Amino acid sequence: MGILGDHIFLSRLQFGFMALFHILWPVLSIGLSLFIFTMEALYLKLGDSRYYRQARFWTRIFLLNFGIGVASGIPLEFAFGTNWAPFSRVAGDLIGSTLGFEAAMAFMLEAGFIGIMAFGWERTRPGTHLFATGMVGLGASLSSFWIMAANAWMQAPAGWRWLDGRLVIDSFSRAVFNPDTAAAALHMWFAAMMTTCLVVGGVSAWYILRARAPALFNLSFRWAVGVLIVVAPVQIFLGDVSGRGVAERQWVKLAAMEAHWRTNLPGAGAPFVVLAWPDMAARMNRLALEVPDGLSLLVTHSLTGEVRGLEGVASQDMPPVRLTFFAFRLMILSGVLTLFLSLWSALCWLRGGLGLERLMARRGLLRAWICAMPLGYIGVETGWITRETGRQPWLVQDLFRTADGASRLPAETVLSSLVLYGLVYGIILAAFAVFMVRLLRAGPQK
């Protein structure tokens, strides 16, 4: 039959494609709304017009980003009823409730105040406008929380029982605040802040290198550096916390992330595989570069701690190891490079400050920030791939399989809709690029 004739694979591919495209936009909306709020608050406090110009300039970028995020996210909601109807019937109590809260509590909060944020600068009192901007930022963060709560429940289900073939929620609080929610929500929020820092800093560096309003963008560049110095190490710490949670509750996913095939013997540590070519048929790694005892140290904080391997996992319960392994490595690489950039920037700041004159002489640092703009997006995308592919073959961990959750649609129907979504999203991305180039060329208001 082949993969193009497999409706389950195509439904997974379609939802994954739509989710990976959609997530590009909310991560910037979350952090950028808080940045704009900060700039506007500083303007009201200090009366410095540079902060006002910053807020107005980045608001235009935020609105473009927000609009595409809304447009690309709506089809995901419908996909639960079209491509994943059995899953919606079985797990709809929790998934429907959390997505409903996301829409009613978070999206409506953003929608209710974004008009004032966009068009109310000269039409409302300054304090009212600042409040509206803050509500948009709060709504964006709340939206992230509810989405992560729903996904965390799929990773670590709690507060449930089976009733007539359905997963019924006995305790909504236990389900929402399941063992994975806190770490997942914080990790996602800090990923959004990291992405925003890299975008704001990179765009600011581009303007400074071109000597366009350099004094203005020196403000936003220093904001990006200051926040990233805090966010980057915290994000790596949260990644460690998340990894230890995976080790406790989803050991098969952890083994796939690390391409760890054999449980280490007592008294011997498990090696950390820096890079390899996982061979799923032979259940071993080819051309492996390893750090002895490294995986035991990372997972158990002991050189000889036990880390279970994939060797005894049945084929039908095996996640796609190669994809999970390489996605996880790319996520780690993006985080390490971002940390290096933050440390380099901090060192430059300590050695002479990031005042405009000194900063314009550090052209290598400015170019590095421009090149680093995609790192946050790479980390978010590969992080989601790791999180979702590593859980396979389960939609709800150990309770409900992915194959049982897909609607029985003709493969050609799913394939045609996948192609159509690809074309539409491609047009949306091209339109975004055109309008973004126009905004950057126009620059801030005088």
Side-chain angles (χ1 to χ4, degrees), residues 82-105:
T82 55
N83 294 71
W84 301 98
F87 170 64
S88 298
R89 285 194 295 269
V90 170
D93 273 16
L94 189 281
I95 301 300
S97 298
T98 50
L99 293 182
F101 273 114
E102 190 272 333
M105 183 186 297

Side-chain angles (χ1 to χ4, degrees), residues 177-193:
F177 297 100
N178 60 73
D180 188 54
T181 298
L186 283 172
H187 199 41
M188 186 68 231
W189 191 85
F190 273 86
M193 292 304 299

Side-chain angles (χ1 to χ4, degrees), residues 24 28 92 100 109 115 133 184 237 243 263 307 336 341 364 420:
L24 290 169
L28 187 60
L109 187 64
T133 303
F237 168 76
T263 304
V307 182
V336 170
L341 180 65
L420 184 60

Side-chain angles (χ1 to χ4, degrees), residues 12 42 64 80 100 117 121 129 157 172 174 202 215 220 272 331 338 345 374 386 405 428:
R12 289 177 59 194
L42 287 171
L64 176 61
F80 285 105
M117 178 185 177
W121 288 96
H129 191 275
F172 187 71
R174 285 182 57 212
S220 50
F272 173 73
M331 184 188 71
T338 302
S345 302
T386 302
I428 291 175

Side-chain angles (χ1 to χ4, degrees), residues 21 35 44 122 139 142 178 220 239 246 250 265 284 294 364 382 401 433:
F21 182 86
F35 168 70
L44 294 183
E122 285 82 26
L142 283 175
N178 60 73
S220 50
V246 170
Q250 296 174 291
L265 298 173
M284 63 178 293
T382 53
R401 287 182 177 268

Side-chain angles (χ1 to χ4, degrees), residues 124-379:
T124 61
R125 293 178 179 178
T128 302
H129 191 275
L130 179 65
F131 177 78
T133 303
M135 290 301 98
V136 171
L138 176 61
S141 293
L142 283 175
S143 179
S144 173
F145 169 78
W146 285 112
I147 295 298
M148 293 310 302
N151 185 267
W153 183 82
M154 295 165 67
Q155 310 281 342
W160 60 272
R161 63 186 173 92
W162 282 106
L163 179 64
D164 299 329
R166 294 172 56 241
L167 285 166
V168 177
I169 301 303
D170 281 339
S171 172
F172 187 71
S173 60
R174 285 182 57 212
V176 170
F177 297 100
N178 60 73
D180 188 54
T181 298
L186 283 172
H187 199 41
M188 186 68 231
W189 191 85
F190 273 86
M193 292 304 299
M194 181 182 289
T195 302
T196 302
C197 289
L198 292 169
V199 171
V200 170
V203 170
S204 300
W206 182 79
Y207 275 106
I208 293 170
L209 276 175
R210 294 170 63 90
R212 290 190 60 188
L216 177 66
F217 284 102
N218 183 240
L219 289 175
S220 50
F221 183 81
R222 284 187 292 169
W223 177 91
V225 171
V227 175
L228 190 67
I229 289 171
V230 176
V231 166
V234 172
Q235 178 69 330
I236 290 177
F237 168 76
L238 290 172
D240 178 68
V241 172
S242 297
R244 294 178 69 184
V246 170
E248 294 174 7
R249 297 181 294 271
Q250 296 174 291
W251 69 269
V252 174
K253 176 194 282 191
L254 176 76
M257 289 161 54
E258 302 293 354
H260 181 58
W261 299 99
R262 292 168 182 80
T263 304
N264 53 303
L265 298 173
F272 173 73
V273 181
V274 179
L275 202 59
W277 185 256
D279 187 337
M280 293 188 64
R283 300 203 172 194
M284 63 178 293
N285 294 324
R286 309 284 184 185
L287 306 172
L289 175 62
E290 300 178 342
V291 177
D293 306 330
L295 185 58
S296 290
L297 182 62
L298 287 171
V299 174
T300 69
H301 293 183
S302 166
L303 289 173
T304 58
E306 182 184 88
V307 182
R308 298 173 68 180
L310 291 166
E311 189 176 33
V313 176
S315 298
Q316 65 269 24
D317 296 331
M318 183 78 73
V321 176
R322 194 174 295 162
L323 176 59
T324 307
F325 174 80
F326 283 115
F328 185 56
R329 291 301 176 280
L330 281 173
M331 184 188 71
I332 292 175
L333 179 61
S334 69
V336 170
L337 290 175
T338 302
L339 179 63
F340 173 78
L341 180 65
S342 71
L343 294 176
W344 182 13
S345 302
L347 183 62
C348 290
W349 205 331
L350 289 173
R351 284 186 171 179
L354 293 176
L356 182 58
E357 186 175 339
R358 287 184 176 272
L359 184 59
M360 293 187 74
R362 293 188 171 113
R363 303 183 70 83
L365 179 65
L366 293 172
R367 291 192 182 101
W369 271 87
I370 294 171
C371 294
M373 280 195 287
L375 287 179
Y377 293 107
I378 292 171

